């Protein structure tokens, strides 16, 4: 069955924008990093950005606003999220496109690929490697892939540090410690946060000669590569 955000995060999509900031450590900081990276790599006269698992269209809208000549294609398998994105991005007309399709499918030729807290739904690292290969194949030389997501350490002591920091973030935003622990337990069913070293290895195997971590704060990172 296709991933449903309402089922996975146990929230109403209308509340997503507010709640995701209480759940996800440094959600807004990652958006700024994405936009700065795109400013380095996007052509001035247009360009196509793919937003993998773009959900409610918040990142796509930010990209469309900052780069008025660019087009953005949101790929997502959850029709309810795409319906929300359609409304949010209506003002951009046909510069934002909504494609109900898995990010694991082959991708169209593009100038940049972004993803924000979406690719952690891929639990099989061979499958993630194939997605990274598709991304590399789709990018033009000089194009950027930037994935904003959680990275976890494989060592128990470090993992516990990151999860404690993460619970602290949620607690500072209205969740009790027990609720924060329960959220992590619930998400573990569908999410996997590989160590950064695994991500960088998969990116190198996919063809990126200099896979990089562009930004990191505790367990949250924006990483990828420029082709
Ligand atoms: C936690 S939401 C993140 C949404 C958005 N990128 C953001 O930053 O708020 C994860 C998104 O990934 C989508 N998703 C999960 N598996 C997918 C797949 N195989 N292909 C495309 N989208 C997928 C979900 O439907 C959801 O919209």
């Amino acid at each position: 069955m296709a991933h449903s955000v309402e089922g996975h995060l146990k929230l109403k999509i209308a509340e997503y924008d507010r709640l995701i900031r209480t759940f996800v450590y440094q959600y807004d900081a990652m958006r700024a990093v994405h936009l700065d990276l795109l400013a380095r790599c996007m052509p001035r006269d247009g360009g196509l950005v793919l937003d993998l698992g773009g959900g409610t269209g918040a990142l796509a809208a930010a990209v469309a606003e900052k780069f008025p000549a660019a087009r953005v294609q949101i790929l997502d398998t959850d029709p309810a999220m795409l319906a929300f994105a359609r409304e949010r991005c209506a003002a951009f007309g046909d510069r934002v496109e909504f494609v109900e399709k898995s990010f694991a499918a082959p991708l169209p030729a593009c100038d940049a690929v972004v993803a924000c807290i979406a690719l952690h739904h891929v639990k099989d690292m061979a499958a993630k490697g194939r997605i990274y290969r598709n991304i590399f194949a789709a990018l033009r030389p000089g194009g950027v892939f930037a994935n904003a997501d959680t990275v976890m350490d494989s060592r128990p002591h470090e993992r516990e540090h990151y999860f404690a920091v993460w619970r602290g973030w949620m607690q500072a935003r209205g969740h009790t410690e027990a609720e924060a622990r329960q959220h992590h337990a619930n998400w573990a069913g569908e999410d996997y946060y590989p160590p950064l070293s695994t991500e960088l290895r998969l990116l190198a195997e996919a063809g990126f000669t200099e896979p990089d971590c562009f930004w990191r704060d505790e367990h949250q990172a924006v990483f990828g590569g420029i082709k």
Side-chain angles (χ1 to χ4, degrees):
M1 202 175 98
H3 178 87
S4 149
V5 171
E6 288 200 330
H8 179 56
L9 294 179
K10 315 258 179 296
L11 53 76
K12 293 273 163 250
I13 289 178
E15 293 177 80
Y16 180 90
D17 279 347
R18 183 184 64 79
L19 275 175
I20 204 70
R21 289 172 167 78
T22 72
F23 287 151
V24 176
Y25 187 78
Q26 296 289 18
Y27 182 78
D28 285 313
M30 296 191 294
R31 174 108 345 117
V33 176
H34 263 141
L35 295 176
D36 284 351
L37 281 166
L38 291 177
R40 270 168 64 181
C41 298
M42 286 292 286
R44 284 184 190 280
D45 54 348
L48 174 64
V49 180
L50 308 183
D51 182 2
L52 307 186
T56 63
L59 175 56
V63 172
E65 191 167 315
K66 174 149 182 167
F67 304 96
R71 290 178 299 123
V72 188
Q73 193 177 97
I74 302 175
L75 286 84
D76 205 290
T77 44
D78 186 337
M81 292 290 266
L82 283 176
F84 196 97
R86 225 176 238 110
E87 266 188 46
R88 186 204 296 273
C89 298
F92 301 110
D94 60 8
R95 284 207 298 123
V96 181
E97 204 186 329
F98 313 89
V99 184
E100 191 177 324
K101 188 169 107 172
S102 171
F103 46 52
L107 301 169
C110 61
D111 298 279
V113 179
V114 293
C116 181
I117 58 166
L119 295 177
H120 61 228
H121 294 303
V122 182
K123 298 182 85 168
D124 172 359
M125 291 303 95
K128 197 164 209 176
R130 285 192 291 277
I131 292 170
Y132 287 172
R133 279 200 290 281
N134 285 345
I135 291 169
F136 187 79
L139 281 175
R140 61 142 170 92
V144 65
F145 168 50
N147 183 18
D149 217 334
T150 303
V151 289
M152 265 302 155
D153 206 289
S154 53
R155 296 163 294 180
H157 181 265
E158 301 304 313
R159 285 175 69 80
E160 180 41 40
H161 163 75
Y162 290 133
F163 275 111
V165 168
W166 194 350
R167 287 195 301 273
W169 175 274
M170 288 197 245
Q171 286 173 250
R173 287 159 184 78
H175 304 275
T176 66
E177 189 187 353
E179 285 167 346
R181 285 184 185 276
Q182 190 57 53
H183 287 314
H184 282 144
N186 293 343
W187 300 337
E190 288 190 29
D191 296 353
Y192 174 58
Y193 317 118
L196 182 61
S197 55
T198 301
E199 296 282 13
L200 296 178
R201 176 178 57 77
L202 292 174
L203 287 163
E205 288 169 2
F208 289 95
T209 46
E210 300 282 348
D212 208 350
C213 179
F214 303 114
W215 171 93
R216 178 169 185 165
D217 183 348
E218 299 284 357
H219 57 281
Q220 214 62 10
V222 181
F223 55 89
I226 296 174
K227 179 166 170 179

